[in-house]
Amino acid sequence: MKKVNVDLHSIDRVKEFVEITSKYPFELDLISGRYVVDAKSIMGIFSLNLSKPIELVIHSDDEAEVNKFMDEIKDYVVK
C-alpha cells in the first residue's frame, strides 16, 4: 500500500486521471476528510472537495505496477 496526495482541481484533470486509473487492476481510493471514494469513479471523485489536494491510496504489493502507475500520474502528484 502506498499513499500520495493528488491535485484534481479541474474537470479535464479528473477525466484524464480516471482514464489512467481505469487501466490498472488494483484498487485505488481517494480520501478527503471522512469520505472515501473509488479513484476509478468519475462520479465519486466529483462528490469530493476538489479545491485542495486529495489523498490517494494505492492497494497493491506489485512494486513494478505501482511504479508504472506512479510514473503515469506524476503530473497529478503534489510534492
Side-chain angles (χ1 to χ4, degrees):
M1 183 169 73
K2 181 175 177 120
K3 296 180 182 182
V4 294
N5 287 326
V6 293
D7 181 20
L8 302 172
H9 64 270
S10 72
I11 292 171
D12 289 334
R13 283 178 71 87
V14 170
K15 183 179 174 192
E16 292 164 4
F17 184 78
V18 169
E19 286 175 11
I20 293 168
T21 60
S22 296
K23 295 190 285 186
Y24 289 87
F26 43 81
E27 290 191 26
L28 299 156
D29 292 328
L30 286 170
I31 302 172
S32 178
R34 60 189 174 109
Y35 298 102
V36 178
V37 298
D38 184 349
K40 299 176 185 181
S41 168
I42 197 162
M43 294 303 290
I45 294 172
F46 281 125
S47 72
L48 300 175
N49 177 3
L50 302 177
S51 66
K52 57 186 178 182
I54 302 167
E55 183 179 38
L56 172 67
V57 180
I58 304 163
H59 299 278
S60 176
D61 293 327
D62 185 342
E63 198 170 319
E65 278 291 299
V66 171
N67 288 337
K68 182 179 171 188
F69 173 72
M70 289 300 296
D71 188 51
E72 277 201 69
I73 66 161
K74 66 180 180 262
D75 294 336
Y76 301 91
V77 175
V78 177
K79 308 248 188 293

